[in-house]
Every structure is written in structure tokens, then in C-alpha cells.
Amino acid sequence: MKEMSVEQLLKLDRAVPVDVRSPIEFREFNIPGAVNIPLFTDEERAEIGTLYKQTSGDAARWRAMEIVSPKIPQLLKQIKSIKDKGNEPVIYCWRGGTRSKSVATFLQFAGLPMPRLIGGYRAYRQYILEKLPSMLKKKAIVLHGLTGSGKTEVLSRLSEQGMPVIDLELIARHRGSIFGSFGQENPHNQKMFDALLFQTLHTIQESPFVIMEAESKRIGKAVQPEELIHLKKEGIHIQLDCSMEQRVNRLSTEYVKPYIQEEWFNVKLEESFILVKKRLRDKEAIALIEDALLQKDYRRFIQLLLETYYDPRYTFKLNEYDGPFYYINSDHIDKAVEEIADIYKKEEEKEKMLN
């Protein structure tokens, strides 16, 4: 049976990790880029687990054989199709145990020897946690700005230009505020956040810089590593300034227009505002925001939230950062991106001269 270490997997061209765990396990966390070809459904896994606990290991293994046997041809066909497209499938499960060994054995008997990841996902996670601190020994260009100033769009445009961007909100699958999961899938947990952060850093490892947003330590369900927090505080800071009108336009486009016809929209909005309300002490402001929500005047709702809640909190957090700031107007994203790209190129040249 062919076996492969995590380090070998990461160096392999056109590698496609094949996760043979159940769908619910795969959804919780996986190796980025993996495909799920499960040996058992969620219900079958639960049944086998119950047999193992309540009857015996032998009974569980026999039932597993009964379930898997009819599936083998189709399962191998799916994995073979990955290979036929010029990719390199690598089989893994939770810890490199029975499931991945079984699938690798079936493949070998079928004349399709394919490697199995030693230690499975657990070995992968251990590897990335060991590597992340050294991968974060870089310099950071950090974007600051009030909510709606266009930081996320700027990062996206810079990434499209091939610049070393870490989009923490994208990695966390959360926009970093009380309304951060609005209209999105469930936020990533810590395991997925760490895996996607590693993948991003691995992609941009040749650059001495990273470009990132000044996010809070916790984003959704995930917490940034201490090394990243330090990198951010010691970075080169860029403040994006933007008119209130443009900020309201952007937030309306991002949070309101795509979802306003959804049945859950108003309910979700009201639930999210309850969390804000607990932190607001200004009763008059609360009454005005509630009235805007009742009237479905979403632009006024957004502006009042910015003025009474988000902007004061942001101004307080900005005091955590020392050192000089660049100031860029972000009413027009294209111009802001161009100016930030120029700053990046100048800082990159300085770094080359020092080295």
C-alpha cells in the first residue's frame, strides 16, 4: 500500500485529497481542496458506532462490511474519475485508520494503487499548527476603516492583481460583526479557519509581506493566532476614509438588496439588532433605529447603526494602534486600490534594498 506524508501531499502537483469520512464529518472540517467520497452515510456511521458501543467491535465490523460491499464499484469509479482528469488522488480519513486503509486496499486490488495520507486529517492539522507561526514571520500592510469603507472590496481587487492578500473574513466565512453571518453559510470553525489560513499563507509564501484588514481577534467562530495579532499591530497602517452616503450605499448593496425578498430577512435583521440593542445605552437612538426597522427604511436603519454603534466602537479600537498611518479616500474603489498598490510596491522596494 502506497503511503504519503502531509509534507509530500503539499508538494504534490495536482493533488486532490479524497476524504472518505461521512458527509457530516467532512462539512465540519476538511483539507482545503478535498472532495468527499464517503465510505458511509451519516446514518450508517451512527449505526456502526452504536453497534460498536452496545454490542461488540466484531459486530460493528461485520455490519460495516455488509454496508460497504455493494458500494465498492461505484466508490472506486468516482476516485478513478479524479485520476482520469490528470489529478493525483490521496486518500484520507480522520486519523489514517480503517476507513482510508480499506479504500486504499480496494483500489490496490482493482489495479489502481493510490496513496493514503499517513495519520489522516489529524496529522494534517498537527502539521499546519506547527508551521503557522514561522509562516507569519512577515511584514503586514493593514487596512483600517469604518464599516462600509470598502476594505473587503479593496482586498479582493488587490488579490486579483496577484498581491499577497489574507482575507480573514473570507477565511472565517463571517464579516466580523453582529451582522457578519448575514446571508452566508455557517461560519467556519477553528479547524477550517486554520486550514484555510495555512493554505493562503502557503500560496503567498514567497512574499515578505501580507496585506490584511484590521480585524478583531475573534471573527465569527474562529480566533486568530497570536502571531497574526502581533503582525497586525506592528504593521504599516492604511486608513480608508469614505463619505457616509457611499458607506450606506455599499452596506445596502451587500446586506439588503440580495436578501430583501427572502422570508427570513426581517426576522434575521430584528434578531441581530437585539444583540446591538443590549450594548447601546442611548434610549433615543434605540427608538430611532427601531422606528426605521418598523418602517422598513433600511438606509436610515444602516446610517443610524453606523452613527450610534459601529463608528464609536471603531474609533475606540483604533487607539490600539501606534505608528504612522497612510490616509486614502475610498469613495472610488479603483483609485483607492491604485494608491494602495503603489504603497505596497514602494514598501516592497524598501524591503529588497534592506536585504
Side-chain angles (χ1 to χ4, degrees):
M1 183 183 298
K2 294 169 68 176
E3 293 188 326
M4 180 175 289
S5 68
V6 174
E7 192 166 6
Q8 288 172 317
L9 167 67
L10 295 171
K11 290 178 179 177
L12 187 65
D13 288 337
R14 298 183 66 84
V16 176
V18 175
D19 191 324
V20 298
R21 298 175 302 152
S22 64
I24 194 170
E25 293 173 280
F26 181 80
R27 286 193 299 272
E28 187 179 1
F29 52 82
N30 55 72
I31 297 174
V35 296
N36 187 210
I37 303 178
L39 207 51
F40 304 110
T41 65
D42 296 335
E43 294 76 18
E44 290 164 349
R45 175 174 172 263
E47 179 189 347
I48 292 164
T50 301
L51 267 176
Y52 187 89
K53 290 176 184 177
Q54 296 182 357
T55 306
S56 69
D58 286 344
R61 282 187 284 273
W62 185 264
R63 179 60 184 142
M65 180 274 297
E66 290 179 325
I67 291 170
V68 169
S69 295
K71 297 182 182 182
I72 293 174
Q74 182 60 28
L75 187 144
L76 300 191
K77 186 177 179 180
Q78 287 179 269
I79 298 172
K80 182 177 181 295
S81 71
I82 296 171
K83 180 76 172 177
D84 290 344
K85 292 174 184 175
N87 299 308
E88 294 293 335
V90 179
I91 314 302
Y92 80 93
C93 58
W94 164 234
R95 56 182 179 182
T98 304
R99 287 181 287 184
S100 60
K101 284 180 182 176
S102 298
V103 173
T105 301
F106 298 152
L107 286 164
Q108 191 164 357
F109 285 161
L112 298 167
M114 293 181 192
R116 179 182 70 93
L117 184 64
I118 300 168
Y121 180 86
R122 188 166 65 174
Y124 168 81
R125 177 155 176 79
Q126 183 178 354
Y127 180 89
I128 67 171
L129 291 179
E130 288 174 357
K131 294 292 182 182
L132 274 173
S134 62
M135 296 174 82
L136 287 165
K137 290 180 179 177
K138 294 175 178 284
K139 290 188 176 180
I141 294 175
V142 186
L143 303 187
H144 302 258
L146 295 166
T147 304
S149 59
K151 300 183 293 293
T152 300
E153 191 173 353
V154 165
L155 286 175
S156 177
R157 299 277 191 93
L158 291 170
S159 180
E160 287 170 5
Q161 293 181 21
M163 295 191 184
V165 167
I166 300 178
D167 188 339
L168 294 169
E169 291 185 355
L170 182 64
I171 290 171
R173 200 154 70 187
H174 194 280
R175 298 188 188 96
S177 71
I178 287 173
F179 296 89
S181 61
F182 215 70
Q184 296 194 1
E185 298 178 64
N186 289 332
H188 284 141
N189 59 25
Q190 192 67 51
K191 288 186 175 70
M192 276 310 304
F193 178 86
D194 293 337
L196 291 167
L197 177 61
F198 174 85
Q199 182 189 47
T200 302
L201 288 167
H202 187 70
T203 302
I204 62 174
Q205 61 185 324
E206 299 302 321
S207 174
F209 285 93
V210 295
I211 305 173
M212 58 189 288
E213 183 178 340
E215 294 283 357
S216 300
K217 184 172 183 178
R218 175 175 287 278
I219 312 172
K221 293 181 179 179
V223 176
Q224 298 178 52
E226 287 298 329
E227 293 84 3
L228 194 57
I229 298 296
H230 176 76
L231 192 69
K232 177 181 68 173
K233 289 195 173 181
E234 298 296 316
I236 298 156
H237 303 287
I238 300 175
Q239 172 74 22
L240 300 183
D241 293 321
C242 184
S243 67
M244 177 61 76
E245 181 182 6
Q246 188 61 269
R247 292 168 63 203
V248 172
N249 286 341
R250 285 183 184 139
L251 293 171
S252 179
T253 299
E254 184 174 2
Y255 289 93
V256 178
K257 290 180 181 178
Y259 314 115
I260 194 169
Q261 301 301 327
E262 301 289 341
E263 290 182 8
W264 53 261
F265 178 74
N266 281 297
V267 174
K268 179 87 170 175
L269 207 59
E270 289 167 7
E271 289 174 351
S272 299
F273 178 62
I274 288 170
L275 298 175
V276 173
K277 190 175 173 180
K278 290 177 180 178
R279 301 179 186 180
L280 268 177
R281 297 181 181 179
D282 188 335
K283 293 182 179 180
E284 183 179 350
I286 290 172
L288 289 170
I289 295 169
E290 287 179 331
D291 180 67
L293 196 53
L294 183 65
Q295 300 299 324
K296 297 185 179 180
D297 186 346
Y298 300 120
R299 289 184 63 84
R300 185 160 66 96
F301 173 75
I302 291 169
Q303 183 165 340
L304 286 166
L305 272 179
L306 293 177
E307 292 172 342
T308 62
Y309 180 72
Y310 283 106
D311 290 3
R313 287 170 65 84
Y314 171 79
T315 303
F316 176 77
K317 286 185 178 180
L318 198 60
N319 294 328
E320 298 175 4
Y321 298 91
D322 297 321
F325 273 71
Y326 290 95
Y327 292 90
I328 291 176
N329 183 279
S330 59
D331 278 344
H332 301 286
I333 291 293
D334 289 341
K335 191 171 185 301
V337 168
E338 187 179 333
E339 290 183 46
I340 293 168
D342 286 342
I343 292 170
Y344 168 74
K345 288 168 187 174
K346 287 175 185 176
E347 294 296 336
E348 192 177 40
E349 285 301 318
K350 286 182 192 176
E351 188 67 18
K352 286 178 181 176
M353 289 175 67
L354 290 172
N355 295 327

